[in-house]
Amino acid sequence: MKYHPTIIAGGGWAGLAAAVELSQRNIPVTVFESAKQLGGRARSLPTENTLLDNGQHLMIGAYSQMQSLLNTIGVNTREAFLQIPQQLEMLDLNSREKVFELKLPRLPTPLHLLVGMLQCPSLSFKQKLQTLLRFNRLLNQELEQDMSVDDWLNSAGLPEAYTEYLLKPLCLAALTTHTHEASARAFQTVLQQTFNGPASNTDLLIPATDLGNIFPAAAKHYIESKGGQVLTEHRVSQLNLAQDKVESITVNDQRVEVEQLILATPPPVTQKLLTGIPACDDITQQLSRLDYEPVTTVYLQY
């Protein structure tokens, strides 16, 4: 039986972030990833002599912890991303005409929001004033109980164009959940982090290279430089208990002794691994109630 004191199951961004955090504190870790590539849902895949990102991942300036993490592992975020002021243009699918446009200038907060809204050609002057006042109230008024994003936005009295062409698409992009199902509290937190901070929080961070180079590869190098290991094609298939404590795990049909274990695996895998452990019954029941639907990415090549 092999021995690894601290193990992280899952080499996606969550698992690698946890490994970097522990490595920074001089705690050697072993990361087991079942796939051939690191990165999970935000990894790069080779296809037809080119690299494609597994899904579209748009970052914004408000992702301060992500940027701090990248700086820790030696990634220059100014080189890794093209950082531009937020500029959103929504087109009608049928007419292909522009139906909404919002550009935020390089000005200190909150002037960038004020000037950007006043210059928005998609709203009348009255609608612009209503939007500024009502959106500020929506952003900062505490929700006594959670509700759907649809119900929350409908209660705000915002102009339909602002809601339909900006906030609802933003919710779908940020939470990957339709507005009639998404949590208003979760979306409010996203909006607060984006619009209540420095003006740079609303900037768009466009990856200048593939996602595999931006984080997973650099994280692997950093973890190994701190005495850790990052192993791909190593699947954790079972947790082995002794006196209600995980004593070892089964990896590629071999038992590996462990003292500390972090599961950074997808929900179905986590549910399977934790099923049968009495202390984890509540978690497995919550995981069993999750519904799933695919996220489709369309790639266009010129």
Side-chain angles (χ1 to χ4, degrees), residues 81-99:
F81 297 99
L82 174 65
Q83 185 165 347
I84 59 175
Q86 191 169 117
Q87 176 178 333
L88 300 174
E89 295 182 4
M90 302 298 292
L91 305 179
D92 182 85
L93 183 62
N94 297 315
S95 67
R96 301 183 184 180
E97 294 180 353
K98 192 183 300 182
V99 292

Side-chain angles (χ1 to χ4, degrees), residues 59-72:
M59 288 73 164
I60 58 176
Y63 291 2
S64 57
Q65 290 195 355
M66 181 201 73
Q67 295 183 70
S68 176
L69 179 68
L70 292 174
N71 289 331
T72 296

Side-chain angles (χ1 to χ4, degrees), residues 26-266:
N26 296 314
I27 302 174
V29 299
T30 300
V31 179
F32 290 130
E33 167 57 42
S34 61
K36 294 181 179 180
Q37 304 93 2
L38 297 170
R41 288 179 295 172
R43 68 184 186 272
S44 304
L45 300 172
T47 176
E48 297 184 2
N49 299 320
T50 189
L51 278 175
L52 291 179
D53 288 337
N54 179 33
Q56 296 169 330
H57 297 268
L58 178 64
M59 288 73 164
I60 58 176
Y63 291 2
S64 57
Q65 290 195 355
M66 181 201 73
Q67 295 183 70
S68 176
L69 179 68
L70 292 174
N71 289 331
T72 296
I73 61 177
V75 174
N76 187 331
T77 54
R78 293 185 179 276
E79 295 179 358
F81 297 99
L82 174 65
Q83 185 165 347
I84 59 175
Q86 191 169 117
Q87 176 178 333
L88 300 174
E89 295 182 4
M90 302 298 292
L91 305 179
D92 182 85
L93 183 62
N94 297 315
S95 67
R96 301 183 184 180
E97 294 180 353
K98 192 183 300 182
V99 292
F100 189 83
E101 180 179 5
L102 178 65
K103 297 180 181 179
L104 300 184
R106 282 257 187 241
L107 292 172
T109 187
L111 289 178
H112 70 308
L113 295 174
L114 176 62
V115 173
M117 181 56 63
L118 292 177
Q119 292 180 343
C120 176
S122 307
L123 302 174
S124 67
F125 183 73
K126 180 180 178 181
Q127 288 177 320
K128 293 172 185 177
L129 294 180
Q130 287 177 338
T131 300
L132 286 168
L133 294 173
R134 294 174 183 177
F135 181 64
N136 182 67
R137 185 169 62 246
L138 185 78
L139 204 61
N140 298 298
Q141 190 171 22
E142 184 177 353
L143 282 165
E144 293 183 1
Q145 62 180 25
D146 205 359
M147 62 184 76
S148 73
V149 170
D150 270 351
D151 290 341
W152 184 55
L153 295 179
N154 289 338
S155 69
L158 291 165
E160 183 179 0
Y162 188 76
T163 299
E164 293 295 326
Y165 297 129
L166 177 64
L167 295 182
K168 288 188 176 182
L170 186 59
C171 173
L172 187 60
L175 303 182
T176 328
T177 309
H178 294 289
T179 51
H180 68 277
E181 298 174 314
S183 160
R185 278 184 177 159
F187 188 43
Q188 186 185 45
T189 299
V190 171
L191 295 176
Q192 288 173 341
Q193 291 174 345
T194 304
F195 294 105
N196 279 355
S200 60
N201 278 13
T202 60
D203 285 354
L204 303 179
L205 303 181
I206 312 296
T209 182
D210 60 87
L211 292 173
N213 277 332
I214 286 180
F215 179 59
K220 179 178 185 292
H221 177 76
Y222 180 84
I223 294 163
E224 291 175 342
S225 73
K226 295 290 187 176
Q229 297 182 78
V230 180
L231 304 173
T232 56
E233 298 184 84
H234 281 65
R235 183 181 300 277
V236 177
S237 58
Q238 185 175 324
L239 309 184
N240 308 305
L241 274 66
Q243 298 179 347
D244 294 329
K245 179 183 177 182
V246 176
E247 180 185 54
S248 67
I249 62 175
T250 302
V251 184
N252 290 358
D253 298 326
Q254 294 186 358
R255 288 172 71 94
V256 178
E257 190 178 352
V258 59
E259 290 184 10
Q260 307 291 337
L261 173 66
I262 294 176
L263 293 182
T265 44

